Amino acid sequence: MDKELFLDEIKENIKYHQEHHNLTQLTYQSTMKFLIDRFFKDISLEDVIVNELHFIREASRKLDELTRCVDWKRKGDKREGKWEEEHALLRWLLTLEHFLSVCFVPNEEYVGLIGSIMSVFQASKDKNKEISFWCLNSIEHAASKRTMKVDDLLTSGVVDISLEEIQQPTINDEMEFVFWGVFESISSRLKGKGGDGMEEAKRKVTKMEMFEKLEEEGYEDIVISFLEVFKFLDENNFNGLPFDISDYFVNS
């Protein structure tokens, strides 16, 4: 379908909804997803959805709204039809996970979005494994892409929450895999000169502060092990961390 046949009408409908809230949750989210799915064929849609339709700001607002509406203590059969908020929240997270993996347009609103995703994770981590899983996947995409600046990632609290969660005795390999993947992505971006448009002096200071924070939290031995894993991966041309990453750390 040609862009001219649908884009203007969709943009008008979305902007009207943002002012008057005339669409259902499902319709609004599905419309946004329709545009995101077409990034592959028309890269210009990225700028439209990020800077004109303010998807990042809207998604952050919806995550915050739905997180407040969910009764995280509720128990029962999810087939009873009383879980609309969880379903809506999961749909937004799935859309965000895809969006963060394909979008390269920078925007200052990413900080608020990552903060909202981390709030959903903290609320759902012991209550809804599926929601918390997609939160982590979204965070991993955000950390690995240069769409977000390293400073913005650090400001969002991703590193602090990751350190807190890694220390939990109940953490599983899947979660640890993602958290250390976040550290790996940030570290790799700080490693190269001029990364993220950051001045060299600022880059060195930020890199030092990050690793000092890891050491302050008692991860000095793990940092050493972590660097050895990076070296091994680089020498063997591996593109990512192994899933059983916790087996590689001396204190895990």
Side-chain angles (χ1 to χ4, degrees):
M1 183 185 296
D2 291 335
K3 181 171 65 175
E4 289 75 12
L5 297 179
F6 67 85
L7 183 57
D8 288 343
E9 184 174 353
I10 287 180
K11 285 164 55 178
E12 183 178 337
N13 287 337
I14 288 176
K15 289 179 179 179
Y16 188 85
H17 169 75
Q18 290 172 348
E19 291 184 18
H20 303 282
H21 308 287
N22 64 310
L23 300 177
T24 65
Q25 288 266 18
L26 179 59
T27 301
Y28 183 43
Q29 182 270 333
S30 298
T31 303
M32 287 290 199
K33 185 176 184 298
F34 177 85
L35 293 179
I36 293 170
D37 288 344
R38 276 146 186 81
F39 280 177
F40 295 108
K41 292 186 177 180
D42 190 344
I43 203 69
S44 68
L45 287 176
E46 291 187 39
D47 186 68
V48 170
I49 200 168
V50 172
N51 295 318
E52 190 173 344
L53 298 178
H54 300 285
F55 170 74
I56 301 169
R57 182 186 66 199
E58 286 291 296
S60 179
R61 182 180 65 81
K62 295 306 297 183
L63 292 183
D64 293 342
E65 176 186 305
L66 289 166
T67 303
R68 290 193 299 268
C69 292
V70 170
D71 181 1
W72 295 106
K73 297 181 180 180
R74 180 191 300 164
K75 296 181 180 180
D77 191 338
K78 293 187 178 182
R79 293 173 297 180
E80 293 176 356
K82 300 178 181 179
W83 303 81
E84 292 85 357
E85 295 89 355
E86 286 93 329
H87 293 156
L89 190 55
L90 182 58
R91 285 196 301 269
W92 277 101
L93 287 168
L94 290 170
T95 301
L96 277 168
E97 192 270 344
H98 179 57
F99 169 79
L100 290 168
S101 69
V102 299
C103 183
F104 289 88
V105 175
N107 189 285
E108 61 184 12
E109 294 172 346
Y110 276 111
V111 178
L113 176 62
I114 298 304
S116 295
I117 294 175
M118 295 310 293
S119 294
V120 177
F121 171 75
Q122 289 183 298
S124 65
K125 62 181 180 179
D126 298 320
K127 309 295 191 308
N128 190 310
K129 292 182 179 180
E130 188 173 13
I131 287 177
S132 60
F133 171 80
W134 287 109
C135 286
L136 295 180
N137 272 270
S138 297
I139 293 300
E140 187 175 24
H141 282 309
S144 63
K145 297 282 288 297
R146 294 184 180 272
T147 310
M148 279 194 68
K149 296 179 180 179
V150 171
D151 277 348
D152 291 342
L153 282 167
L154 299 178
T155 300
S156 71
V158 168
V159 172
D160 292 329
I161 293 175
S162 298
L163 283 173
E164 179 183 335
E165 291 301 319
I166 286 174
Q167 297 182 67
Q168 301 302 316
T170 56
I171 190 171
N172 57 40
D173 280 343
E174 190 173 75
M175 291 174 62
E176 192 159 11
F177 170 83
V178 174
F179 286 132
W180 284 113
V182 170
F183 287 129
E184 190 273 339
S185 294
I186 294 176
S187 299
S188 296
R189 291 168 63 179
L190 287 173
K191 183 178 180 180
K193 293 184 178 180
D196 299 327
M198 187 181 295
E199 294 181 1
E200 182 65 10
K202 173 64 176 175
R203 182 188 68 81
K204 290 182 177 180
V205 170
T206 302
K207 181 178 179 181
M208 182 65 68
E209 287 176 349
M210 179 176 170
F211 281 97
E212 284 180 352
K213 186 173 185 62
L214 287 171
E215 292 179 357
E216 288 173 3
E217 296 290 338
Y219 284 94
E220 184 173 0
D221 290 337
I222 290 184
V223 170
I224 295 172
S225 299
F226 200 35
L227 294 175
E228 288 301 314
V229 173
F230 289 166
K231 180 180 178 182
F232 172 80
L233 293 175
D234 288 340
E235 290 175 350
N236 290 275
N237 297 316
F238 290 163
N239 294 321
L241 296 171
F243 181 76
D244 55 346
I245 188 64
S246 59
D247 294 344
Y248 289 81
F249 298 115
V250 296
N251 282 350
S252 294

